[in-house]
């Protein structure tokens, strides 16, 4: 075992924070590769709740290094605030956090542009997190963005910032954006942020590759989920980064040949925040029950999440584009009280049954889900940490998901705590984590 990618198999919020935190003691480094502070990874350690947005959950493990890769976009104010909150909670942050010098910087005007774009007439709002993520990636791809290294370089920063500010002023005038922006103040403020962040900024691609050569193990932590990936998700209702497994390589500078395993995280059901197609959405009472039992409210925005049933065609699709070696099923306990559990097993589009993921937004919205009901177990699974300890109907449900998706379920989570988890013996996941030889 060595380098493993852990990422969301659905629309994000699959419980990756807990899983990455749990596995991180098997690794030397945890690296984030995309997204920004739009992500919200919740980790419970004892009675303490930590919500991490930008900093990889590995920071909570003493001895583990946390890396924010070049594929991430960083709002320095959010980063500094997160560091302060963590320090306030007793988490040590010093040499254990490294930030890529190639990561792009988010500015306050990115948020304003996003607000303007979401509110524009005749535009379908995406329902973004309003963190300026999309406009920052636009500047990156448009080759006018400002990177961490530029922010730290006083000479070039001023020049680059003023040019970018000029661009934004033209845009604001064109769109008659009224909100005043004090560019000079922002520039001064960012120079102060630079001084605060400077000790942590490094060539993280070099650091990671040297670590690999030295035999260290890296856990790559995805944010959001595959269905929010800019290329493979439900475009345009996606985030602006490469959340799928391929993004781990471009977003850190580690080659695909160095990756040993890819692990998908999925809830035992499914949720989505924001707008966009959602074939297996449950708009009735059952959806409400899941939302209440699963506490399905956004970790960053507090928005209620849309809830629905496990979607097999979607999972098969994300398993293909990511090449999952193993799947982790989280929040099984949320389904404890249900008599029957619907599972979406196929799609019907324009009267034709299919298991393929349509490319267009129109076809995605036209999907009629085909459901199959599975028997519930109607007993508590909360906190069970042995696969054999699960009620037979819960094991049947897991095995059903496994056979339908074609991916092993290597781990099941039955609560937010580290201990409320089981890793299945003999699984590929167990081998990837190096647990098999230890006979855990
Ligand atoms: P953005 O990432 O703020 O641009 O938002 C684009 C879409 O991705 C919206 O539907 C958001 O609700 C969704 N999104 C962004 N980050 C997350 C996340 O961490 N979990 C779930 N959905 C997210």
């Amino acid at each position: 075992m060595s380098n493993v990618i852990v990422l969301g198999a659905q629309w994000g919020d699959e419980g990756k924070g807990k899983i990455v935190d749990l596995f991180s003691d098997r690794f030397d480094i945890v690296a984030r590769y995309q997204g920004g502070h739009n992500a919200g990874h919740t980790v419970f350690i004892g009675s303490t709740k930590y919500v991490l947005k930008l900093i990889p959950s590995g920071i909570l493990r003493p001895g583990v290094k946390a890396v924010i890769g070049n594929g991430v976009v960083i709002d320095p104010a959010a980063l500094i605030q997160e560091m302060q909150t963590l320090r306030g909670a007793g988490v040590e942050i010093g040499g254990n956090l490294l930030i890529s010098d190639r990561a792009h910087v988010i500015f306050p005007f990115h948020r304003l542009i996003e607000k303007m774009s979401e509110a524009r007439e005749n535009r379908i709002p995406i329902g973004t997190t309003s963190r300026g993520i999309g406009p920052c990636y636009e500047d990156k791809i448009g080759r006018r963005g400002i990177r961490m290294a530029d922010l730290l370089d006083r000479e070039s920063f001023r020049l680059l910032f003023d040019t970018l500010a000029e661009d934004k002023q033209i845009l604001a005038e064109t769109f008659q954006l009224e909100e005043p922006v004090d560019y000079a103040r922002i520039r001064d403020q960012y120079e102060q942020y630079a001084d605060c962040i400077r000790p942590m900024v490094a060539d993280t691609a070099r650091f990671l590759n040297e670590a690999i050569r030295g035999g260290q193990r890296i856990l790559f932590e995805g944010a959001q989920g595959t269905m929010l990936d800019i290329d493979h998700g439900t475009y345009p209702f996606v985030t602006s980064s490469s959340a799928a497994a391929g993004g781990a390589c471009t977003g850190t500078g580690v080659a695909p040949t160095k990756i040993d395993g890819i692990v998908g995280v999925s809830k035992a059901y499914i949720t989505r925040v924001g707008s966009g197609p959602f074939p297996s959405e449950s708009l009735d009472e059952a959806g409400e029950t899941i939302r209440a039992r699963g506490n399905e409210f956004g970790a960053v925005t507090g928005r209620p999440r849309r809830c629905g049933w496990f979607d097999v065609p979607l999972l098969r699709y994300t398993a293909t584009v990511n090449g999952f070696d193993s799947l982790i099923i989280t929040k099984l306990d949320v389904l404890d009280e249900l008599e029957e559990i619907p599972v979406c097993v196929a799609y019907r589009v324009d009267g034709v049954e299919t298991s393929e993921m349509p490319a267009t937004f129109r076809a995605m919205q036209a999907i009629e889900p085909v459901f199959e009901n599975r028997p519930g177990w109607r007993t508590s699974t909360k906190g069970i940490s042995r696969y054999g300890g699960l009620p037979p109907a819960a094991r049947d449900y897991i095995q059903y998901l496994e056979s339908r998706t074609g991916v092993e379920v290597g781990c099941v989570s039955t609560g937010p705590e580290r201990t409320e988890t089981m890793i299945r013996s003999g699984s590929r996941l167990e081998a990837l984590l190096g647990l098999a030889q230890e006979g855990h």
Side-chain angles (χ1 to χ4, degrees):
M1 81 103 181
S2 38
N3 306 314
V4 176
I5 305 172
V6 173
L7 78 152
Q10 299 168 321
W11 275 292
D13 308 316
E14 297 92 350
K16 298 178 291 293
K18 169 192 158 164
I19 299 299
V20 170
D21 167 66
L22 180 73
F23 292 172
S24 58
D25 73 332
R26 316 285 314 163
F27 294 83
D28 303 291
I29 300 166
V30 178
R32 263 283 295 272
Y33 58 86
Q34 43 70 236
H37 64 310
N38 50 348
H41 293 164
T42 310
V43 178
F44 283 90
I45 304 175
S47 57
T48 313
K49 178 182 173 183
Y50 300 88
V51 179
L52 298 143
K53 292 172 189 160
L54 253 175
I55 301 178
S57 351
I59 199 81
L60 302 175
R61 290 271 188 192
V64 173
K65 280 205 158 58
V67 169
I68 300 180
N70 55 275
V72 176
V73 286
I74 300 174
D75 180 331
L79 175 67
I80 292 166
Q81 201 197 354
E82 192 168 330
M83 291 196 297
Q84 280 166 352
T85 309
L86 286 173
R87 282 189 181 126
V91 178
E92 186 216 317
I93 302 180
N96 56 342
L97 177 63
L98 285 180
I99 300 161
S100 170
D101 53 5
R102 270 102 165 155
H104 279 250
V105 180
I106 300 177
F107 292 94
F109 43 77
H110 286 134
R111 281 196 301 277
L112 290 182
I113 293 167
E114 180 166 353
K115 206 164 100 185
M116 175 189 78
S117 153
E118 283 279 279
R120 220 172 63 226
E121 227 177 297
N122 299 330
R123 189 190 200 276
I124 311 164
I126 307 295
T128 67
T129 59
S130 314
R131 301 291 189 270
I133 306 292
C136 180
Y137 278 115
E138 281 178 42
D139 280 344
K140 170 179 175 171
I141 300 300
R143 295 167 295 185
R144 55 180 173 265
I146 295 180
R147 310 201 286 182
M148 273 293 158
D150 306 316
L151 176 64
L152 300 192
D153 180 338
R154 286 246 161 171
E155 294 303 307
S156 60
F157 176 61
R158 292 213 145 210
L159 192 69
L160 288 169
F161 181 88
D162 291 346
T163 313
L164 188 63
E166 214 175 290
D167 259 28
K168 303 303 172 203
Q169 269 160 323
I170 296 169
L171 206 67
E173 275 160 31
T174 311
F175 288 98
Q176 289 157 352
L177 192 70
E178 260 129 48
E179 221 157 317
V181 180
D182 187 344
Y183 290 98
R185 222 191 95 242
I186 296 174
R187 198 181 57 192
D188 291 347
Q189 204 173 39
Y190 271 63
E191 282 175 345
Q192 285 170 27
Y193 294 151
D195 292 335
C196 182
I197 295 170
R198 192 179 299 277
M200 283 159 258
V201 177
D203 179 347
T204 50
R206 199 174 81 192
F207 169 79
L208 292 171
N209 282 296
E210 276 171 7
I212 292 171
R213 272 197 295 278
Q216 295 197 23
R217 298 149 302 179
I218 303 171
L219 180 59
F220 297 86
E221 173 181 7
Q224 289 83 46
T226 310
M227 295 310 286
L228 288 172
D229 179 278
I230 185 75
D231 288 284
H232 303 291
T234 43
Y235 193 89
F237 298 94
V238 291
T239 191
S240 298
S241 64
S242 297
C249 294
T250 53
T252 58
V254 172
T257 47
K258 300 287 187 290
I259 306 295
D260 302 292
I262 302 173
V263 177
V265 185
S266 160
K267 279 176 184 158
Y269 46 98
I270 193 166
T271 60
R272 163 163 217 173
V273 235
S275 324
F278 185 171
S280 67
E281 184 167 15
S282 171
L283 294 165
D284 55 15
E285 215 177 291
E288 284 294 333
T289 308
I290 293 179
R291 185 172 308 119
R293 273 189 62 87
N295 190 26
E296 296 295 356
F297 297 89
V300 169
T301 59
R303 289 182 289 178
R305 295 178 183 144
R306 297 158 66 192
C307 299
W309 306 112
F310 191 93
D311 182 333
V312 172
L314 179 145
L315 211 298
R316 289 182 71 91
Y317 170 76
T318 60
T320 303
V321 298
N322 291 305
F324 290 146
D325 291 293
S326 191
L327 201 58
I328 295 170
I329 299 291
T330 62
K331 295 189 131 179
L332 184 71
D333 57 301
V334 172
L335 303 181
D336 281 353
E337 281 173 13
L338 298 172
E339 208 159 315
E340 283 197 314
I341 307 167
V343 174
C344 171
V345 291
Y347 295 157
R348 203 172 289 126
V349 181
D350 299 333
V352 180
E353 207 167 287
T354 174
S355 53
E356 303 298 319
M357 186 63 64
T360 68
F361 163 48
R362 191 207 61 79
M364 272 231 80
Q365 276 205 318
I367 288 175
E368 292 170 57
V370 179
F371 286 110
E372 203 174 288
N373 282 343
R374 303 302 302 169
W377 40 94
R378 310 213 68 193
T379 170
S380 173
T381 60
K382 176 93 177 69
I384 292 179
S385 57
R386 232 174 21 86
Y387 190 70
L390 286 174
R395 270 182 279 149
D396 281 353
Y397 183 67
I398 297 292
Q399 271 149 20
Y400 177 78
L401 300 187
E402 207 166 37
S403 68
R404 279 289 188 160
T405 59
V407 188
E408 72 157 32
V409 173
C411 172
V412 181
S413 162
T414 54
E417 287 276 352
R418 280 175 178 168
T419 50
E420 296 172 320
T421 321
M422 62 203 82
I423 294 176
R424 285 172 77 189
S425 120
S427 64
R428 170 99 177 101
L429 179 69
E430 189 189 45
L432 279 172
L433 296 174
L435 290 165
Q437 59 271 42
E438 291 171 22
H440 75 286

